[in-house]
Amino acid sequence: MIDYSQIPSPCYVLESEKLIENLELIDSVQKKAGITIILALKGFAMFSAFPIVKQYLQGTTASSLFEARLGREEFGGELHLYLLAYQEKEFPELIQGATHISFNSLSQWERFKEKTLLTQVSPGLRINPEYSPVEPEIYNPSSPLSRLGIRAEKLGDKLPEGIEGLHCHNLCESDSQALARTLEQIETLFGHHLPQIKWLNLGGGHLITSKSYDIEHLIEVLTRFKSRYPHLHIYLEPGSAVAWETGVLRATVLDLIETSNLIIAMLDVSFTAHMPDCLEMPYKPRIRGARDPQQKEPRYRMGGLTCLAGDFMGMGDYYFETPLQVGDTIVFEDMIHYTMVKTSMFNGIKHPAIGIVRSDGTFNLVREFGYEDYKSRLS
């Protein structure tokens, strides 16, 4: 049991034991399926936990110069690059130490081809399989007007000379059935290219560590595909799955505002600044010790600390067996992936601290943030 009174508020709290459990499961998949799984930094970039992660995963994938530097400096191993558009001024530094690079368009490949071929990096193209099970449009990479990846008719019958791999990312917290459908689409639209390449990167969005995920079916799907293309090195690059259910965001009730229908609990955190996926997806986060209210039960709505009118949990309210009091702890579950990587300091709101609960139960405060962190982002 974690003693939250010993942890500053607000604070992202990673539980290392749960992270290890996820990584052991992911490692078993890559070994049984004969594939390589790497860490997508866009979903989880808590480098203080990298000493644990790199015991199981062989590298990282980066979508920016800064992510690439973080992967090189703090993780090592394979470094895969995929940026929607590369920049001349960044390219020489970006590609240093990279092992794989994917281009989002044929024009980008032509522009950077000569510089790429002078390095040891293996080049590939991102493809659009024209299929995605993702429903929120903001997270759908394969919509008809998507800017992500090359459609089959644009690629033609033959890959450009020098291309060694294909990269496909069309999932988001998806299951093994969605992966199976994706591979069917790849074979249908791009199957004639598969004998020409060395590697196939199937991107992220594989929610392997969810309790409902069918691991055996995943291994079966990948094994069958590899039997048809034994020469291919298959990569997956999940971000959410690595840090899924591995920690929380600890917050505190600062005020209680009564309205005609419910009570708004004002917290020392912000949805727009600290939990943006709750508003973007949107989804209702779980709160430890709370449940959905029944009719005539007191309802609490969680309110964020910024002055943005929409900075509150609008996807549903909560019921607490014991009425909330100012000073009470609120624990938002599963707040490690796609939180710290997306936060802002909008309104000058203090950024939550970052800490790790070790396997022996001790809490390690990794980082706190102050005024200089806010000021240094401005001018």
Side-chain angles (χ1 to χ4, degrees):
M1 182 69 70
I2 299 174
D3 182 2
Y4 287 101
S5 68
Q6 304 302 311
I7 297 174
S9 181
C11 185
Y12 294 108
V13 184
L14 172 75
E15 297 178 54
S16 63
E17 192 168 338
K18 292 182 178 179
L19 177 64
I20 291 169
E21 289 174 3
N22 280 357
L23 289 165
E24 288 178 343
L25 177 59
I26 290 171
D27 189 39
S28 71
V29 169
Q30 65 180 352
K31 288 176 178 175
K32 291 177 182 177
I35 64 169
T36 299
I37 299 179
I38 56 179
L39 172 66
L41 293 174
K42 65 181 179 180
F44 180 62
M46 187 175 173
F47 59 90
S48 54
F50 284 0
I52 298 173
V53 181
K54 63 185 179 181
Q55 294 179 50
Y56 301 89
L57 305 186
Q58 297 183 25
T60 56
T61 181
S63 298
S64 66
L65 173 60
F66 291 169
E67 283 188 352
R69 284 191 58 180
L70 187 69
R72 281 197 301 266
E73 295 174 5
E74 300 292 340
F75 202 102
E78 293 190 23
L79 175 59
H80 294 234
L81 304 175
Y82 167 70
L83 278 68
L84 271 72
Y86 296 94
Q87 301 179 56
E88 295 279 359
K89 61 183 179 181
E90 288 185 355
F91 199 78
E93 180 183 357
L94 176 74
I95 206 167
Q96 288 180 22
T99 56
H100 300 72
I101 185 171
S102 295
F103 293 89
N104 190 56
S105 67
L106 291 171
S107 58
Q108 278 272 296
W109 163 244
E110 288 299 325
R111 183 176 178 185
F112 291 96
K113 175 173 62 177
E114 291 186 9
K115 292 181 179 179
T116 301
L117 294 176
L118 290 174
T119 70
Q120 299 299 310
V121 67
S122 179
L125 298 173
R126 176 165 176 169
I127 55 174
N128 183 342
E130 301 176 40
Y131 157 75
S132 176
V134 181
E135 291 184 0
E137 195 62 21
I138 191 173
Y139 291 122
N140 182 355
S142 300
S143 62
L145 297 179
S146 176
R147 73 197 196 286
L148 305 171
I150 305 166
R151 296 171 74 90
E153 68 267 20
K154 293 289 185 181
L155 195 54
D157 294 329
K158 187 176 180 181
L159 292 174
E161 186 176 352
I163 292 296
E164 297 182 347
L166 294 176
H167 182 155
C168 173
H169 177 83
N170 65 320
L171 306 179
C172 177
E173 298 184 2
S174 302
D175 59 20
S176 59
Q177 297 293 340
L179 174 61
R181 179 77 178 95
T182 298
L183 289 173
E184 290 175 4
Q185 278 291 100
I186 290 175
E187 288 190 273
T188 298
L189 298 177
F190 303 95
H192 55 294
H193 297 308
L194 297 180
Q196 306 172 43
I197 59 174
K198 298 178 181 179
W199 53 267
L200 175 64
N201 187 327
L202 294 170
H206 315 275
L207 200 51
I208 299 170
T209 49
S210 168
K211 291 180 176 61
S212 63
Y213 197 96
D214 190 340
I215 294 293
E216 294 308 315
H217 182 248
L218 169 68
I219 294 170
E220 180 185 342
V221 167
L222 290 169
T223 302
R224 285 203 310 262
F225 184 81
K226 280 182 60 66
S227 70
R228 295 194 293 276
Y229 307 98
H231 68 289
L232 283 181
H233 193 149
I234 306 295
Y235 289 96
L236 302 185
E237 47 178 45
S240 292
V242 173
W244 187 257
E245 300 280 8
T246 60
V248 303
L249 175 57
R250 180 254 203 267
T252 299
V253 177
L254 301 180
D255 194 10
L256 295 165
I257 300 175
E258 294 190 18
T259 72
S260 58
N261 297 319
L262 51 79
I263 301 170
I264 300 174
M266 293 298 302
L267 308 177
D268 61 350
V269 292
S270 161
F271 290 96
T272 187
H274 306 145
M275 298 173 275
D277 263 12
C278 295
L279 305 182
E280 290 177 3
M281 179 66 83
Y283 78 97
K284 179 184 177 182
R286 289 178 291 114
I287 294 178
R288 190 168 300 176
R291 61 169 171 78
D292 292 342
Q294 305 297 317
Q295 279 192 341
K296 297 184 179 180
E297 287 183 335
R299 311 168 73 90
Y300 289 89
R301 180 163 297 176
M302 300 297 113
L305 197 55
T306 75
C307 62
L308 177 70
D311 188 3
F312 66 91
M313 179 29 56
M315 291 300 294
D317 301 322
Y318 302 85
Y319 168 78
F320 294 84
E321 191 72 34
T322 302
L324 289 181
Q325 303 289 328
V326 171
D328 282 352
T329 292
I330 299 293
V331 178
F332 289 97
E333 302 280 12
D334 196 20
M335 283 291 160
I336 299 301
H337 58 93
Y338 282 104
T339 50
M340 287 177 274
V341 294
K342 299 181 83 169
T343 57
S344 73
M345 299 187 82
F346 169 64
N347 233 168
I349 300 300
K350 184 179 180 180
H351 192 287
I354 298 173
I356 302 176
V357 174
R358 302 296 179 182
S359 298
D360 62 1
T362 59
F363 174 71
N364 173 213
L365 180 61
V366 176
R367 175 85 189 273
E368 287 190 289
F369 300 84
Y371 168 69
E372 290 303 325
D373 297 293
Y374 167 69
K375 184 180 179 183
S376 65
R377 295 161 66 113
L378 305 170
S379 61

